[in-house]
Amino acid sequence: MKIIEDTFGTTILKENSVWGKNTQRSLENFPIGEEKMPRDLIAALVSIKRAAATVNRNHGKLDPDKAHRIVEACDLILTQDLRTDFPLSLWQTGSGTQTNMNVNEVIAHYSNTHPNDDVNCGQSSNDVFPTAMHIMAYKQIEHDLLPSMERFRDTLKRLSDENMINLKTGRTHLQDATPMSFGQEVSAWQEMLVVGIKQIKETLVYLKEIPIGATAVGTGLNTFEGFDKELSDHLGMNVCENKFYGISTKDSFVHAHGVLNTIATNLMKIVNDIRWLSSGPRCGLGEISIPANEAGSSIMPGKINPTQCESLMMICAQVMGNNHVITISNMQGNFQLNTFMPVIAHNFWQSVKLLSEGMDSFDKRCLSGIKVINEKIEDNLTKSLMSATYLNSKLGYDETAKLVNKAFVANKNIKDVVIESGNMNEEEFDEFFKYSDMITPD
């Protein structure tokens, strides 16, 4: 055991511990929950330490040998699975200070340097932690979310293109409406992804701005002129010019997560449509079929449920909840520092991860396997009375409404009622009343 005495008292570390007193105290002071700092956030923090060591060495602020050892230690951490070295609870100080010190201590252990004087040189948790958040969020969206959305969009485009001539009845208010094609229906889903991709890309300009160089309150104390620009360049990010703004608010996360929330609401709509359209197989709408991936019931043999739909819907609900937490958290930027950053980082990370993996799973295991049940959509189309809307131009709204009501009460189709009324004979009706003419403007 190692016994460490300082102004906060006595701390006991295991002999082979890779972290120091600050990490150990955080473990003891915050034994809360099971949520840990996201691995991607830790990686971003380590990448900042690596870049800082290089920049500080280049400007004579850090001994070259120490800088070299810090860079090697960072590379070790970034290339190996050392998650057990970063055990701290998410539910800690709102600045993420303990996690920054945890990273400092682990790097110092592997590099035989001082965690504060060397690894944390020119930095404060107050600018390093939010910078790591921005790097994490930017990379997640670029590397995970956008590719998943693009794959999802492409599957929807294929499904739409393949079904542009499959005519069906439309529905509004959960009631029968005028005809359309299944391809047209899917094109609306596709456009939701197209717009969502555009919207989330627009948020990247704000997420790419990092407040590194602000240090404690935004003044840049203990750094040098140009430190922020060189670090930003090393990290592939952009400088946030107003550091006081950069560390006191996380509005770019509210903005970007607002788009994630929008994407989640659209996905919920798409998935609900698919769930309803595939309901059945005999007593529901049953206009499409979805893949049967596993047994749907422990008691009803042969039952198949829309499990991928339900999984993605729960993900969407979680993202919406995360959005509320992030919104509230950004309001906690008291004076010079936001102090809800860990939960903002975690919820943002979770939302992107869940949406990315959830869309990929749904695309692969449900969306790509959707088939149209032509007999059912044709039956529903011909039974629907709302196709009579096409008669408005010939018979007028009031006369058509009478015919629709008569057909409904008598349980007849619209053709028979129109012929019985004397408005058209069978030949005239068949010549005029074509479903394929109803899905485009006159």
Side-chain angles (χ1 to χ4, degrees), residues 149-352:
M149 293 184 71
E150 288 162 357
R151 287 189 288 269
F152 203 95
R153 173 205 62 197
D154 292 345
T155 300
L156 288 171
K157 185 178 188 311
R158 176 186 57 76
L159 190 62
S160 176
D161 291 346
E162 289 174 355
N163 290 283
M164 273 301 176
I165 61 172
N166 282 331
L167 304 182
K168 55 164 288 177
T169 188
R171 294 180 178 88
T172 58
H173 304 271
L174 296 181
Q175 305 295 308
D176 302 344
T178 57
M180 65 188 306
S181 75
F182 183 58
Q184 289 173 322
E185 186 166 36
V186 176
S187 74
W189 306 342
Q190 176 196 339
E191 190 65 17
M192 292 175 201
L193 271 295
V194 170
V195 172
I197 289 168
K198 180 181 178 183
Q199 290 173 337
I200 199 64
K201 282 182 176 179
E202 289 170 352
T203 70
L204 291 176
V205 65
Y206 306 106
L207 290 174
K208 199 171 185 180
E209 290 187 357
I210 57 175
I212 197 69
T215 62
V217 298
T219 61
L221 179 68
N222 287 349
T223 65
F224 53 85
E225 188 69 33
F227 180 74
D228 57 346
K229 178 67 167 64
E230 288 193 47
L231 264 179
S232 298
D233 289 345
H234 271 277
L235 295 165
M237 304 292 277
N238 296 332
V239 172
C240 174
E241 297 294 346
N242 190 316
K243 305 294 191 295
F244 308 102
Y245 156 79
I247 65 173
S248 64
T249 182
K250 292 272 77 56
D251 58 357
S252 56
F253 284 80
V254 178
H255 174 57
H257 201 281
V259 176
L260 298 181
N261 192 62
T262 301
I263 291 167
T265 61
N266 277 335
L267 288 174
M268 184 78 86
K269 180 266 189 297
I270 292 169
V271 172
N272 254 327
D273 283 356
I274 291 171
R275 201 165 60 108
W276 280 104
L277 289 171
S278 64
S279 62
R282 292 189 175 179
C283 301
L285 294 180
E287 293 188 345
I288 62 174
S289 66
I290 57 177
N293 297 320
E294 65 273 310
S297 172
S298 62
I299 189 173
M300 293 176 278
K303 192 173 193 300
I304 303 300
N305 290 334
T307 54
Q308 288 292 320
C309 294
E310 292 162 5
S311 172
L312 189 51
M313 289 168 68
M314 287 190 288
I315 286 170
C316 292
Q318 182 64 53
V319 171
M320 294 171 202
N322 286 349
N323 192 67
H324 191 56
V325 172
I326 289 173
T327 301
I328 293 172
S329 297
N330 189 55
M331 294 188 287
Q332 305 307 315
N334 307 125
F335 301 117
Q336 277 66 62
L337 185 68
N338 180 281
T339 52
F340 274 47
M341 287 191 288
V343 76
I344 293 174
H346 176 272
N347 283 21
F348 194 96
W349 169 82
Q350 185 189 60
S351 290
V352 176

Side-chain angles (χ1 to χ4, degrees), residues 378-409:
E378 289 171 8
D379 182 55
N380 286 341
L381 179 63
T382 54
K383 286 193 301 187
S384 172
L385 299 177
M386 290 304 101
S387 55
T389 303
Y390 193 61
L391 296 170
N392 286 356
S393 60
K394 195 171 186 69
L395 305 180
Y397 181 93
D398 291 339
E399 177 62 19
T400 303
K402 291 178 185 177
L403 294 171
V404 168
N405 185 61
K406 184 176 179 181
F408 177 73
V409 171

Side-chain angles (χ1 to χ4, degrees), residues 63 76 245:
D63 176 78
L76 173 71
Y245 156 79

Side-chain angles (χ1 to χ4, degrees), residues 18-68:
V18 299
W19 56 72
K21 60 186 180 182
N22 293 300
T23 302
Q24 188 61 35
R25 285 199 177 111
S26 184
L27 279 172
E28 295 167 3
N29 289 330
F30 300 99
I32 304 168
E34 297 183 2
E35 296 84 3
K36 309 298 181 186
M37 287 294 176
R39 185 180 183 182
D40 295 325
L41 183 68
I42 298 295
L45 281 167
V46 174
S47 70
I48 294 167
K49 306 299 176 180
R50 189 186 192 283
T54 301
V55 172
N56 281 320
R57 178 202 63 200
N58 293 345
H59 287 265
K61 301 295 183 179
L62 186 62
D63 176 78
D65 182 57
K66 287 183 177 180
H68 176 72

